[in-house]
């Protein structure tokens, strides 16, 4: 590992914002691990990024309570470090609250709330024990700040993660763990490309990824606690 190289773990890293983040970390000379559920998607991302730096992929279902420990342990075993954790994996299953079922609610809570908490817990515990610093960047959503009709459980999972990470930031101050929450509005990613014919008014995923990277690479005397990114004309 070079003197300035950081070890970066990005969940939901095979496409969209996660893949965009990977490009920027790699351009800075960091070593990147991409995690997600679909191995084919991850392998395609790895092939795309191969010439830009060191990329490893790990297919895993973060809804499994043991997945976070397994993932963090793998990174530490292979590198002896984890410097940046980007909690980007998420699932968006829009449904009115009277129509949403238990499976809809559970899938979003498990992926959007419990998995990032488990990853924070696993990564921070190892970093504190090793006396190393850790930057945790959580990709939430403007839905965490304002719930839109039809997004109740998604918004609840993201708002819950905001509250959890706000509490964790206070608990972990002085222990080398820095926590940043990023709230993107509608971004041109597979989630929206599948739902909209015209995505020209949405934010570009690469630009969002650059801002997430920059928020994770600030001077150690400064912490970006919250970063809200919105399309210029607002969210529909």
């Amino acid at each position: 590992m070079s003197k300035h190289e950081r070890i970066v773990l990005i969940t939901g890293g095979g496409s969209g914002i996660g893949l965009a983040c990977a490009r920027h970390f790699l351009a800075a000379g960091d070593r990147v691990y991409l995690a997600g559920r679909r191995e084919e998607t991850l392998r395609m991302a790895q092939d795309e990024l191969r010439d830009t730096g060191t990329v490893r992929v790990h297919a895993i279902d973060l809804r499994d309570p043991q997945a976070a420990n397994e993932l963090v342990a793998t990174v530490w075993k292979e590198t002896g470090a984890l410097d940046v954790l980007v909690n980007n994996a998420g699932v968006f299953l829009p449904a009115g609250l009277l129509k949403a079922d238990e499976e809809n609610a559970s899938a979003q809570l498990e992926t959007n709330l419990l998995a990032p908490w488990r990853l924070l817990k696993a990564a921070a515990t190892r970093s504190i024990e090793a006396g190393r610093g850790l930057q945790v960047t959580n990709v939430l959503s403007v839905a965490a700040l304002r719930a839109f009709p039809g997004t109740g459980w998604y918004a609840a999972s993201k708002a819950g993660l905001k509250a959890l990470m706000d509490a964790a930031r206070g608990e972990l101050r002085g222990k080398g763990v820095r926590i940043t929450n990023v709230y993107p509005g509608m971004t041109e990613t597979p989630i929206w490309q599948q739902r909209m014919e015209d995505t020209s008014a949405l934010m570009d995923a690469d630009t969002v990824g650059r801002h997430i990277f920059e928020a994770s690479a600030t001077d150690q005397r400064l912490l970006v606690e919250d970063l809200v990114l919105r399309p210029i004309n607002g969210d529909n």
Side-chain angles (χ1 to χ4, degrees):
M1 190 190 313
S2 68
K3 181 179 179 180
H4 301 292
E5 180 187 60
R6 294 182 300 174
I7 306 301
V8 181
L9 170 60
I10 304 173
T11 66
S15 63
I17 292 174
L19 179 57
C21 289
R23 294 190 188 100
H24 290 283
F25 281 105
L26 288 167
D30 297 325
R31 187 187 310 186
V32 172
Y33 280 75
L34 302 178
R37 281 189 297 163
R38 297 177 179 84
E39 184 166 3
E40 181 180 0
T41 300
L42 291 171
R43 294 297 178 190
M44 290 174 61
Q46 185 181 36
D47 288 343
E48 177 183 332
L49 299 170
R50 192 177 304 278
D51 294 336
T52 62
T54 303
V55 183
R56 298 285 186 270
V57 297
H58 195 90
I60 195 166
D61 187 348
L62 291 172
R63 293 174 297 182
D64 180 345
Q66 302 305 316
N69 283 329
E70 176 186 331
L71 187 55
V72 171
T74 296
V75 176
W76 270 88
K77 181 179 179 180
E78 294 183 4
T79 68
L82 176 57
D83 301 300
V84 181
L85 166 64
V86 180
N87 278 319
N88 171 69
V91 59
F92 175 48
L93 302 173
L97 290 176
L98 299 186
K99 294 184 177 180
D101 55 21
E102 292 289 329
E103 184 178 357
N104 177 290
S106 178
Q108 294 182 91
L109 290 173
E110 284 284 344
T111 305
N112 301 346
L113 176 59
L114 293 178
W117 162 63
R118 292 171 183 141
L119 283 161
L120 167 72
K121 185 176 179 181
T125 297
R126 281 183 175 264
S127 293
I128 292 170
E129 289 176 350
R132 293 184 60 94
L134 173 68
Q135 167 71 42
V136 179
T137 302
N138 304 294
V139 182
L140 292 102
S141 165
V142 293
L145 308 175
R146 174 193 170 193
F148 297 89
T151 68
W153 276 113
Y154 178 75
S157 66
K158 293 294 189 175
L161 183 59
K162 175 190 183 304
L164 187 149
M165 291 297 174
D166 285 348
R169 187 187 295 120
E171 293 176 18
L172 297 172
R173 286 194 197 278
K175 297 183 179 180
V177 180
R178 300 152 51 87
I179 298 178
T180 299
N181 291 334
V182 182
Y183 308 89
M186 294 174 69
T187 305
E188 192 173 9
T189 64
I191 287 178
W192 289 111
Q193 289 167 342
Q194 295 167 6
R195 291 176 167 85
M196 301 174 64
E197 291 186 6
D198 182 7
T199 59
S200 60
L202 305 189
M203 295 186 295
D204 175 62
D206 186 71
T207 303
V208 173
R210 174 171 56 81
H211 284 291
I212 291 171
F213 162 76
E214 290 174 349
S216 302
T218 57
D219 185 285
Q220 292 299 304
R221 296 168 296 176
L222 180 150
L223 171 65
V224 178
E225 293 191 350
D226 295 282
L227 178 63
V228 180
L229 303 171
R230 302 286 300 279
I232 192 66
N233 293 320
D235 298 288
N236 295 331

